[in-house]
Amino acid sequence: MSDAALNPSIEASAGKAARTKPEKTVAASGQWRLIWLRFRRHKLAFWSGIVVIAIYAVALFSDFIAPTTAFSYNAQYTYAPPQMVRVWGQDTDGNRHLFYVHDYTVTVDPIALQRSFEPDRETIVPLGFFVRGEPYRFWGLIPMEHRLFGPKEVGQPFYLFGADRLGRDVFSRTIHGTRVSMSIGLIGVAISLVIGIILGGISGLAGGWLDEVIQRTIEFLKSIPTIPLWMGLAAAIPLNIHPLIVYFWITVILSLIGWTDIARIVRGKFLSLKTEDFVTAARLDGCGQQRIIWRHMVPSFMSHLIASTTLAIPAMILAETMLSFLGIGLRPPVVSWGVLLKESQSILAVANAPWLFLPGLAVIIAVLALNFLGDGLRDAADPYGR
Amino acid sequence: MLTYIARRILFMVPITLAISLVTFIIIQLPPGDFVTALSAQASENNEQIDPETLAALRERYGFDQPIIVQYWKWITNIVFHGDFGQSFEWNRPVSELIWDRLGLTLVVSLATLIFVWILAFPIGIYSAVRQYSWGDYIATFIGFIGLAVPNFLLALVLMYVTSRFMGANVGGLFSAEYANADWSWGRVGDLLNHLWVPVIVLGTGGTAALIRIMRANLLDELKKPYVELARARGLSETYLLLKYPVRVALNPFVSTLGWILPTLVSGAVVTAIVLSLPTTGPLLLNALFAQDMYLAGAFILLLSILTLIGTLVSDILLAWLDPRIRYE
C-alpha cells in the first residue's frame, strides 16, 4: 500500500479502473497480504488454523493445563468411568460451587474383584481454576503447584476421560501426550524440509548426473512400502536407550520418506522458475547466483512450500501414533497419543473401558485441523491464480 | 508399447536388487543376531544354552562372516533356489510360511481396491455434479474423517462396536472350523463373510482420497467448452456426463492404482495386526520382535516387490488407456 501512496499517478489510474475500495487495496497489496486475505476467506481453514494454534499452545503449556501429572495414579479408581462436569452445585456444608463433578461410589465384586463405579449424587467434588495440585516443574525447570483447572482439594477424583488400568487420569495423559505427538510431526517435517530443500535445490539447479542420482534415489525410496520399512527400522532401535534418543530416531525414520515429496516440489519449482521473466530480469540486472536464488526464486515458492509441509505434518503424527501403538515406536514412560492408544489394544480392556479410545479423538482433531489448514494454505498460496 | 513394457520391466531389476540390499541391511540393523536373542530368551527363563551350541548355530547361519558374504548367500539362495532361509522362531523354512499369508494379503488388498473403486466412483461423480449440495458436504466430511482416523483405531472401534452390540467376533479371516481346513467352497464363503471388516477399515482412507481426486478432476472437466457443446446439441445430461467428462476424469482411478495398492498392502500390515488376520502383518511384527531376520526380510522384500508390480501395472494400464501419454 505504501508503494501506491508514494506514487499518486499510479493510484489515480488504478482508482479509475477499480470502482470499489477493497479492490483498490487488493491491487496494491504485497504477496503475503494477498495470501492472508485469501486465506481469511476460507472459513474452515481459518478456524482450523486457530484450532491448530490452540493445540500447540496446549502442547507448550501441558504441565499447567493438565489436572494431574502424567504419572499420578490412584489404585482406588482403576478403570473409573468419565465424569461429567456440572455447574452450580451445593456441597454438604451448604457452600455453592460453580463447577463440580460427582464423586464415585465404588463397589467391589467379591468374586471377580472387579470394581464398579456409580456416580454418587450426594457428594460433590468442587472444581476451580488455578487450584493447588501436586507440585511439578514447569518445562522441567520452574517449580510450580498451581494448575489451570482441577479439583479444589488435592487427590479428589477428577476423571474427565475416565481412568486407565492404574487409575491414571486419561484426560491429563492425553494433554501431556500432546507435546510429544505434535512436536514429532513438527520436528520430522523440519528435518524433511531441510533435506528436501537442499537436495531438491541441487537437483533442480545443478541438473546433470547429480539430478539423475537424486531423482533415482527418490524413486527408489518411494517404491519401498512405507509401513514395513518404518517397522523394520523402528524395530532396530535398541530397547535400552534413553527415551529422548528413541524420540530422535523415530523422527529421523519418519523424515526418511518425508523429504522426497518436498525435494520434488522444490526441484519442479526451480526448473520452472529458471526460465521465468523475472529471473531473467534479475540476471540481466547483474544479480549474483546466490541473490537470484534466495531473494527472487525462493520467496516466490515459499508459500507453496509452507502449504505442502503443513499437509505433511498430519501424516507424521499418524505414523508416530501407529508405530507407538504397535509397540515399536515410543514406549512408556514417554507419553504420546500412540502410547496411550496402546492401552486400548486389548479388546477385553476396551469392552469394559471404552473411554480408552478417547486419546484417539485428540489424534483425529489434530489431523483434521492440520489437513484443513494445509488445504486452505495451499489454495491461498497462489494468490494470483484465478 | 511393447518396448515400453519391456523397458519398464528391465528397469525393475536394478531397483529390486537395491531393495533387497536395503532389506538385508534393515534386518541386520538390530544389535546382536538371532542367536543372542535366543540366549537372552533362555536366560530370561533361567535356562542356559552352552556356548558351543551357540557358536555352532552362528556358524551354521554364517553369522560370523562379513555382511556382504551373508547377503550374497541370502540373495543367491532366493533367486536360484527360491529358498528364503530358515525361520529361527518357527524352525521351518521361511518359504513354507509366507506364501499363504502373502496370498491372503493380496486377496484383502484387491478386495479393498474393488471396494474403494465401487464406492468412490459414484460418490465422486455425485459430489462434482452436485457441488456444494448437502450430499457433497456429507461426502466431503466423511472423506476427511476417513483420512484422519488411523486405520488401527477404526479397526479397534469397529471390533468394539460389533462385539458390544452385535455379539459377533470380527477378528480373523476365517471361523474356527475353517481356519486350518483345505480350500473348499465353504472356506471361500467363510472368507467372504469375514472379509468385509478389514476391507472397510482399509478402504475408508483410500475411498476418501479417491473421491476428492475424482471430484476435483470432474469439476475441471465440467467447465470445459466441449461439455457446453454437448449440452447445446441436446444430449441428455446423464449421457453427456458419462460419455465425455467422466471418461477423462477416470484417469486418476487407474493412475492411483500405482500408489493405492502399495498403501493398501502396507496399511494392511497394521490392520491385520489389530484384527489378527492370517496375513503378513502379525507375522512380520513378531519376526521383527524376535529378530527372526530371514522371515522379516522375506516379508519386507516380497511386499516391496508387490509394490513395484502394482506401480508397473498401473503405468501400463494408464499408457494403454490414455492415448495422450507418450512412452518417452
Side-chain angles (χ1 to χ4, degrees), chain A residues 71-124:
Chain A
F71 308 105
S72 352
Y73 63 94
N74 190 339
Q76 207 187 334
Y77 297 111
T78 42
Y79 291 130
Q83 289 164 319
M84 184 90 106
V85 176
R86 292 158 198 278
V87 283
W88 213 238
Q90 201 166 20
D91 63 16
T92 39
D93 298 338
N95 298 326
R96 291 209 161 264
H97 298 278
L98 185 53
F99 295 108
Y100 70 97
V101 289
H102 286 303
D103 202 347
Y104 300 106
T105 29
V106 188
T107 41
V108 182
D109 185 333
I111 300 159
L113 287 177
Q114 201 171 28
R115 290 165 184 276
S116 55
F117 294 86
E118 283 296 326
D120 178 2
R121 304 216 175 270
E122 299 302 312
T123 35
I124 70 168

XYZ file of all heavy atoms in Angstrom, chain A residues 71-124:
454
model
N 1.876 -39.145 35.620
C 2.104 -40.432 36.271
C 1.395 -40.569 37.614
O 1.564 -41.570 38.297
C 3.606 -40.667 36.441
C 4.350 -40.500 35.157
C 5.118 -39.374 34.918
C 4.227 -41.454 34.155
C 5.771 -39.208 33.717
C 4.869 -41.289 32.954
C 5.644 -40.166 32.730
N 0.618 -39.553 38.023
C -0.107 -39.719 39.284
C -1.145 -40.808 39.116
O -1.882 -40.828 38.130
C -0.809 -38.427 39.703
O -0.449 -37.362 38.904
N -1.190 -41.715 40.069
C -2.151 -42.803 39.950
C -2.862 -42.999 41.280
O -2.399 -42.536 42.320
C -1.458 -44.099 39.526
C -0.459 -44.610 40.522
C -0.835 -45.553 41.480
C 0.844 -44.153 40.504
C 0.089 -46.002 42.410
C 1.766 -44.596 41.416
C 1.385 -45.511 42.362
O 2.289 -45.951 43.280
N -3.985 -43.637 41.204
C -4.744 -43.924 42.407
C -5.428 -45.267 42.201
O -6.383 -45.376 41.441
C -5.776 -42.828 42.643
C -6.417 -42.956 44.003
O -6.401 -44.032 44.600
N -6.983 -41.873 44.489
N -4.897 -46.279 42.865
C -5.363 -47.640 42.629
C -6.836 -47.820 42.966
O -7.484 -48.759 42.520
C -4.520 -48.624 43.440
N -7.349 -46.881 43.751
C -8.758 -46.970 44.134
C -9.666 -46.759 42.928
O -10.805 -47.202 42.920
C -9.026 -45.886 45.177
C -10.158 -46.205 46.106
C -10.439 -44.990 46.982
O -9.567 -44.165 47.219
N -11.658 -44.890 47.451
N -9.142 -46.050 41.916
C -10.002 -45.667 40.799
C -9.601 -46.333 39.489
O -9.668 -45.720 38.439
C -9.983 -44.148 40.629
C -10.536 -43.420 41.812
C -9.719 -42.664 42.633
C -11.895 -43.505 42.112
C -10.229 -42.010 43.737
C -12.415 -42.855 43.220
C -11.580 -42.109 44.030
O -12.097 -41.473 45.118
N -9.152 -47.587 39.527
C -8.802 -48.237 38.274
C -10.056 -48.378 37.414
O -11.099 -48.822 37.880
C -8.215 -49.640 38.503
O -8.995 -50.253 39.514
C -6.779 -49.580 38.941
N -9.901 -48.004 36.166
C -10.983 -48.057 35.179
C -12.237 -47.315 35.637
O -13.362 -47.754 35.378
C -11.346 -49.498 34.813
C -10.275 -50.202 34.033
C -9.811 -51.455 34.410
C -9.750 -49.625 32.886
C -8.828 -52.108 33.688
C -8.761 -50.275 32.155
C -8.310 -51.509 32.564
O -7.353 -52.144 31.832
N -12.038 -46.187 36.327
C -13.195 -45.371 36.680
C -13.724 -44.701 35.417
O -12.948 -44.231 34.600
C -12.788 -44.313 37.700
N -15.045 -44.694 35.238
C -15.601 -44.107 34.020
C -15.502 -42.579 34.036
O -15.303 -41.984 35.099
C -17.066 -44.559 34.044
C -17.353 -44.831 35.465
C -16.081 -45.279 36.093
N -15.647 -41.941 32.856
C -15.546 -40.483 32.789
C -16.621 -39.808 33.627
O -17.738 -40.313 33.763
C -15.765 -40.174 31.309
C -15.479 -41.427 30.594
C -15.836 -42.527 31.517
N -16.257 -38.664 34.185
C -17.214 -37.867 34.935
C -17.670 -36.702 34.073
O -16.964 -36.274 33.181
C -16.554 -37.303 36.200
C -16.276 -38.328 37.247
C -15.291 -37.794 38.258
O -14.330 -37.134 37.903
N -15.540 -38.071 39.521
N -18.865 -36.215 34.369
C -19.399 -35.080 33.639
C -19.241 -33.838 34.502
O -19.593 -33.851 35.677
C -20.882 -35.339 33.359
C -21.518 -34.272 32.539
S -21.374 -34.673 30.823
C -23.059 -35.147 30.501
N -18.689 -32.790 33.921
C -18.572 -31.546 34.684
C -19.950 -30.898 34.770
O -20.638 -30.728 33.768
C -17.580 -30.576 34.014
C -17.560 -29.248 34.766
C -16.198 -31.172 33.973
N -20.398 -30.572 35.981
C -21.695 -29.938 36.176
C -21.497 -28.545 36.756
O -20.434 -28.227 37.276
C -22.552 -30.771 37.131
C -22.965 -32.074 36.534
C -23.328 -33.087 37.608
N -23.305 -34.413 37.046
C -24.310 -34.937 36.353
N -25.415 -34.258 36.163
N -24.215 -36.143 35.840
N -22.557 -27.751 36.646
C -22.421 -26.385 37.146
C -23.385 -26.137 38.305
O -24.466 -26.720 38.393
C -22.685 -25.352 36.043
C -21.486 -25.235 35.130
C -23.925 -25.693 35.255
N -22.936 -25.247 39.185
C -23.757 -24.694 40.241
C -24.310 -25.764 41.175
O -25.481 -26.069 41.159
C -24.893 -23.861 39.615
C -25.253 -22.705 40.499
C -26.497 -22.459 41.018
C -24.397 -21.688 40.986
N -26.446 -21.343 41.798
C -25.170 -20.843 41.809
C -23.030 -21.411 40.848
C -24.633 -19.734 42.461
C -22.500 -20.311 41.486
C -23.301 -19.483 42.285
N -23.428 -26.338 41.976
C -23.877 -27.362 42.908
C -23.605 -26.958 44.351
O -22.824 -26.053 44.632
N -24.276 -27.659 45.269
C -24.142 -27.336 46.684
C -23.478 -28.514 47.384
O -23.884 -29.666 47.193
C -25.533 -27.103 47.274
C -25.519 -26.294 48.536
C -26.910 -25.816 48.874
O -27.897 -26.377 48.398
N -27.010 -24.804 49.706
N -22.434 -28.267 48.151
C -21.816 -29.377 48.871
C -22.512 -29.577 50.216
O -23.466 -28.881 50.546
C -20.301 -29.172 49.021
C -19.950 -27.949 49.854
O -20.845 -27.447 50.562
O -18.794 -27.507 49.785
N -22.043 -30.555 50.993
C -22.741 -30.932 52.223
C -22.758 -29.804 53.240
O -23.647 -29.742 54.085
C -22.080 -32.179 52.842
O -20.663 -32.054 52.679
C -22.566 -33.447 52.201
N -21.749 -28.896 53.179
C -21.733 -27.770 54.111
C -22.622 -26.619 53.650
O -22.727 -25.611 54.336
C -20.297 -27.236 54.273
C -19.394 -28.312 54.847
O -19.940 -29.233 55.482
O -18.178 -28.236 54.645
N -23.218 -26.788 52.493
C -24.112 -25.752 52.008
C -23.426 -24.693 51.167
O -24.060 -23.748 50.724
N -22.086 -24.869 50.920
C -21.406 -23.904 50.052
C -21.728 -24.212 48.594
O -21.789 -25.377 48.194
C -19.888 -23.982 50.248
C -19.513 -23.632 51.669
O -20.157 -22.790 52.296
N -18.493 -24.297 52.181
N -21.895 -23.155 47.811
C -22.170 -23.368 46.393
C -20.865 -23.307 45.596
O -19.945 -22.566 45.927
C -23.144 -22.309 45.880
C -24.536 -22.473 46.458
C -25.585 -21.960 45.494
N -26.894 -22.510 45.826
C -27.387 -23.585 45.217
N -26.707 -24.188 44.269
N -28.576 -24.039 45.549
N -20.803 -24.144 44.565
C -19.618 -24.153 43.713
C -20.054 -24.046 42.262
O -21.036 -24.675 41.860
C -18.815 -25.445 43.908
C -18.302 -25.601 45.300
N -17.156 -24.990 45.750
C -18.808 -26.278 46.367
C -16.969 -25.279 47.015
N -17.955 -26.065 47.429
N -19.280 -23.260 41.480
C -19.652 -23.039 40.085
C -19.510 -24.331 39.275
O -20.407 -24.746 38.566
C -18.784 -21.922 39.492
C -19.134 -21.505 38.073
C -20.611 -21.154 37.964
C -18.272 -20.334 37.627
N -18.366 -25.009 39.406
C -18.154 -26.258 38.678
C -17.940 -27.389 39.668
O -17.272 -27.205 40.684
C -16.924 -26.162 37.777
C -17.061 -25.170 36.678
C -16.365 -23.970 36.709
C -17.895 -25.427 35.597
C -16.497 -23.050 35.687
C -18.027 -24.512 34.571
C -17.332 -23.314 34.614
N -18.489 -28.530 39.360
C -18.250 -29.669 40.241
C -18.473 -30.966 39.452
O -19.061 -30.963 38.369
C -19.180 -29.621 41.455
C -20.631 -29.900 41.133
C -21.170 -31.180 41.319
C -21.466 -28.901 40.641
C -22.491 -31.435 41.025
C -22.782 -29.153 40.347
C -23.300 -30.423 40.541
O -24.596 -30.681 40.238
N -17.969 -32.069 39.994
C -18.304 -33.399 39.468
C -18.810 -34.230 40.638
O -18.526 -33.923 41.795
C -17.091 -34.111 38.822
C -16.712 -33.457 37.514
C -15.915 -34.150 39.771
N -19.556 -35.270 40.310
C -19.997 -36.181 41.356
C -18.879 -37.139 41.715
O -18.138 -37.592 40.854
C -21.208 -36.998 40.875
C -22.463 -36.197 40.825
N -22.962 -35.539 41.917
C -23.321 -35.943 39.812
C -24.067 -34.916 41.590
N -24.316 -35.138 40.304
N -18.782 -37.442 42.995
C -17.841 -38.464 43.436
C -18.374 -39.842 43.000
O -19.488 -39.960 42.510
C -17.728 -38.398 44.965
C -16.430 -39.008 45.451
O -15.774 -39.683 44.631
O -16.088 -38.809 46.624
N -17.541 -40.892 43.158
C -17.993 -42.242 42.813
C -18.400 -42.994 44.070
O -17.840 -42.761 45.143
C -16.867 -43.049 42.159
C -16.311 -42.505 40.893
C -15.066 -41.898 40.873
C -17.002 -42.644 39.694
C -14.524 -41.423 39.704
C -16.464 -42.171 38.507
C -15.223 -41.561 38.526
O -14.694 -41.104 37.364
N -19.357 -43.901 43.933
C -19.488 -44.931 44.951
C -18.905 -46.194 44.344
O -19.328 -46.633 43.279
C -20.959 -45.206 45.319
O -21.760 -44.920 44.186
C -21.406 -44.388 46.493
N -17.901 -46.731 44.999
C -17.199 -47.886 44.458
C -17.713 -49.140 45.143
O -17.755 -49.206 46.372
C -15.682 -47.758 44.695
C -14.939 -48.848 43.962
C -15.198 -46.390 44.291
N -18.127 -50.117 44.352
C -18.449 -51.414 44.934
C -17.517 -52.444 44.317
O -17.292 -52.434 43.105
C -19.903 -51.812 44.632
O -20.191 -51.461 43.277
C -20.878 -51.121 45.552
N -16.955 -53.276 45.154
C -16.029 -54.285 44.660
C -16.744 -55.624 44.665
O -17.248 -56.075 45.694
C -14.766 -54.348 45.535
C -13.795 -55.373 44.969
C -14.114 -52.980 45.618
N -16.796 -56.221 43.481
C -17.371 -57.549 43.345
C -16.491 -58.524 44.122
O -15.302 -58.669 43.823
C -17.403 -57.898 41.848
C -18.100 -59.210 41.588
O -18.101 -60.061 42.494
O -18.624 -59.378 40.483
N -17.022 -59.201 45.149
C -16.161 -60.029 46.000
C -15.546 -61.213 45.260
O -14.500 -61.714 45.672
C -17.104 -60.496 47.116
C -18.477 -60.304 46.564
C -18.410 -59.196 45.586
N -16.173 -61.683 44.194
C -15.632 -62.856 43.498
C -14.653 -62.449 42.409
O -13.499 -62.867 42.391
C -16.774 -63.707 42.908
C -17.684 -64.169 44.041
C -16.209 -64.917 42.161
C -19.054 -64.571 43.595
N -15.091 -61.584 41.508
C -14.225 -61.210 40.401
C -13.247 -60.112 40.787
O -12.333 -59.802 40.034
C -15.069 -60.744 39.217
N -13.430 -59.524 41.972
C -12.612 -58.416 42.440
C -12.636 -57.238 41.478
O -11.708 -56.465 41.386
C -11.161 -58.860 42.686
C -10.959 -59.726 43.924
C -9.505 -60.167 44.025
C -11.378 -58.986 45.180
N -13.732 -57.171 40.729
C -13.832 -56.090 39.765
C -14.545 -54.916 40.423
O -15.517 -55.093 41.153
C -14.634 -56.570 38.556
C -14.383 -55.758 37.328
C -15.031 -56.405 36.121
O -16.034 -57.103 36.248
N -14.462 -56.181 34.965
N -14.046 -53.730 40.147
C -14.664 -52.541 40.725
C -15.740 -52.036 39.797
O -15.570 -52.005 38.588
C -13.634 -51.432 40.894
C -12.628 -51.714 41.966
C -11.453 -50.781 41.846
N -10.467 -51.145 42.845
C -10.523 -50.720 44.093
N -11.488 -49.909 44.468
N -9.620 -51.096 44.959
N -16.889 -51.665 40.380
C -17.871 -50.991 39.547
C -18.170 -49.639 40.162
O -18.196 -49.484 41.380
C -19.140 -51.831 39.398
O -19.632 -52.158 40.663
N -18.335 -48.665 39.297
C -18.465 -47.282 39.740
C -19.853 -46.750 39.436
O -20.396 -46.997 38.364
C -17.437 -46.409 39.019
C -16.029 -46.739 39.373
C -15.348 -47.743 38.694
C -15.383 -46.053 40.378
C -14.037 -48.047 39.015
C -14.082 -46.354 40.708
C -13.404 -47.352 40.027
N -20.407 -46.068 40.398
C -21.665 -45.354 40.196
C -21.436 -43.926 40.640
O -20.773 -43.698 41.647
C -22.776 -45.982 41.072
C -23.346 -47.280 40.549
C -24.052 -47.109 39.223
O -24.665 -46.042 39.003
O -23.972 -48.038 38.393
N -21.968 -42.964 39.901
C -21.826 -41.602 40.393
C -22.605 -41.419 41.694
O -23.754 -41.846 41.810
C -22.399 -40.732 39.263
C -23.113 -41.659 38.352
C -22.591 -43.039 38.577
N -21.935 -40.858 42.687
C -22.550 -40.624 43.981
C -23.174 -39.236 43.961
O -22.478 -38.229 44.047
C -21.452 -40.722 45.060
C -22.001 -40.430 46.442
O -23.222 -40.189 46.556
O -21.198 -40.431 47.389
N -24.481 -39.205 43.822
C -25.142 -37.914 43.597
C -25.125 -37.030 44.842
O -25.444 -35.854 44.791
C -26.572 -38.126 43.114
C -26.645 -38.983 41.878
C -27.723 -38.568 40.917
N -27.641 -39.380 39.713
C -26.917 -39.041 38.655
N -26.256 -37.911 38.632
N -26.870 -39.839 37.610
N -24.797 -37.627 45.990
C -24.827 -36.858 47.232
C -23.565 -36.013 47.420
O -23.636 -34.839 47.732
C -24.995 -37.814 48.424
C -26.271 -38.629 48.389
C -27.513 -37.756 48.340
O -27.604 -36.817 49.148
O -28.382 -38.002 47.477
N -22.403 -36.664 47.206
C -21.160 -35.934 47.429
C -20.671 -35.309 46.134
O -20.697 -35.956 45.087
C -20.054 -36.862 47.959
O -20.225 -38.123 47.358
C -20.098 -36.959 49.450
N -20.196 -34.099 46.233
C -19.675 -33.448 45.043
C -18.212 -33.114 45.253
O -17.734 -32.970 46.377
C -20.466 -32.172 44.676
C -20.199 -31.057 45.692
C -21.935 -32.485 44.559
C -20.717 -29.725 45.204
